[in-house]
Structures are given as C-alpha cells and as structure tokens.
C-alpha cells in the first residue's frame, strides 16, 4: 500500500505537476503573497515571481527617488495577472507607457493580490502600501465580485458617513 502511494505521488509530481500556492492569509485574514517566491505556472507556461515585499513586481525601495511620480496599484487577480508574464500585466504596461509618453519618470508599484476586494485593498494601503509614498493610488475594481466582497463587512462597516474598523486587532 505504501509503495503504491509513493509511486502515485512520484507519477503525479513527474507527469502532472501541481502548482504550489504563492499566497497565504495572514492571521487577520488579509491575503498576501509569500515574499521572494518564484513558481513555474504550468497552466500558463511561465514563472511567476514575487518580490521581497510580497508583490508580483520588481523590487521597489520604500523611499522613492527625487522627481519620480509613484503610482500604487491596488487590485485583485486582474492586477496580480499570473496568467501573463509580468511584462504583459497592466501595472508593467502602465509604467512603460507613462515613461514613453511623458517627460516625467513614473514608477508603478503593483500590489494586486488574487481574491482582494476593496476592503482588502484599504487594509493593505493603511498598513503596508502607504509606506511606499505613492503620489497616486489606483483602486482597480472587478465589478462582478468586488461589490459582493464588500458586503461581507469583514474589517470595516459604515457608521455616521465614515468607515469604522471592526473589533479586530490591527496588523502590525
């Protein structure tokens, strides 16, 4: 029985490799990428690389260079874009286009994670994204699921015309 199980495992590993996850949920439920991970995605035929800050992006220093216009992109799987090589993703194409079309140096930081709704994006911005000193934050929504994600009211609720954090410990 053990030998059969071992043979099945080796066969699956060799002939039908399964992709290992590049993301996890922190102890408060926020989906994040494992920092510094590179995984080959057999479904799409390319590697997916996560930088040291847990973003599907190249490395970015927290402090931006003088004169650089920095855009932080928040979104879900459409911004994470594991289906395409990173150079074909919206954040990469946006940075390339801005730098070709304007006289100003632009830097686009991709903070998209599959499964995020706008609540997740706000939580990430508040605890992590603001440290990148963005000049502009783009909130990218997928209308078919982000509205329903918000209805769960996981971390925030509306009270007296303002967002009120639920009784959850803050992310350090």
């Amino acid at each position: 029985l053990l030998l059969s199980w071992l043979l099945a495992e080796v066969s699956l590993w060799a002939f039908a490799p399964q992709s290992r996850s590049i993301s996890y949920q922190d102890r408060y439920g926020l989906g994040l990428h494992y920092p510094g991970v590179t995984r080959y995605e057999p479904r799409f035929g390319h590697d997916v690389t996560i930088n040291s800050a847990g973003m599907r992006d190249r490395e970015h220093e927290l402090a931006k260079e003088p004169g650089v216009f920095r855009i932080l992109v928040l979104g879900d799987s459409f911004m994470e874009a594991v289906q395409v090589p990173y150079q074909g993703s919206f954040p990469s194409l946006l940075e390339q286009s801005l730098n070709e079309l304007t006289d100003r140096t632009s830097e686009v930081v991709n903070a998209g994670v599959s499964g995020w709704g706008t609540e997740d994006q706000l939580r990430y911005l508040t605890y992590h994204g603001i440290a990148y000193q963005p000049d502009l934050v783009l909130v990218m929504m997928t209308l078919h699921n982000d509205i329903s994600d918000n209805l769960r009211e996981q971390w925030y609720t509306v009270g007296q015309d303002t967002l009120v954090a639920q009784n959850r410990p803050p992310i350090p």
Side-chain angles (χ1 to χ4, degrees), residues 56 78-81 84-94 110:
R56 178 150 193 251
F78 285 89
M79 294 305 105
E80 182 186 59
V84 299
Y86 187 73
Q87 296 76 12
S89 70
F90 172 79
S92 177
L93 293 171
L94 177 62
N110 180 23

Side-chain angles (χ1 to χ4, degrees), residues 124-161:
Y124 181 86
L125 175 66
T126 303
Y127 291 100
H128 303 288
I130 204 68
Y132 285 90
Q133 307 165 357
D135 298 297
L136 176 67
V137 176
L138 288 181
V139 176
M140 309 301 281
M141 289 184 64
T142 307
L143 294 179
H144 76 274
N145 69 340
D146 285 346
I147 302 301
S148 61
D149 290 346
N150 290 341
L151 294 176
R152 286 182 283 153
E153 296 183 6
Q154 195 172 21
W155 291 316
Y156 301 94
T157 188
V158 177
Q160 298 179 352
D161 299 325

Side-chain angles (χ1 to χ4, degrees), residues 22-26 29-34 53-54 113 116 124 128 171:
I22 59 170
S23 60
Y24 68 98
Q25 283 193 334
D26 71 4
L30 181 63
L32 298 168
H33 292 123
Y34 289 110
V113 175
W116 272 6
Y124 181 86
H128 303 288
I171 296 174

Side-chain angles (χ1 to χ4, degrees), residues 6-80:
L6 184 60
L7 182 61
E9 282 293 316
V10 169
S11 296
L12 278 174
W13 177 80
F15 300 109
Q18 305 298 307
S19 116
R20 293 167 287 166
S21 180
I22 59 170
S23 60
Y24 68 98
Q25 283 193 334
D26 71 4
R27 63 183 181 180
Y28 304 108
L30 181 63
L32 298 168
H33 292 123
Y34 289 110
V37 169
T38 297
R39 298 272 192 268
Y40 177 73
E41 284 291 335
R43 295 175 294 172
F44 310 120
H46 60 267
D47 286 334
V48 173
T49 300
I50 306 300
N51 70 16
S52 63
M55 297 179 213
R56 178 150 193 251
D57 202 345
R58 62 185 170 82
E59 295 293 332
H60 296 276
E61 297 294 326
L62 283 177
K64 65 181 174 179
E65 295 289 323
V68 170
F69 186 78
R70 184 177 277 176
I71 300 170
L72 178 67
V73 175
L74 300 171
D76 59 8
S77 58
F78 285 89
M79 294 305 105
E80 182 186 59

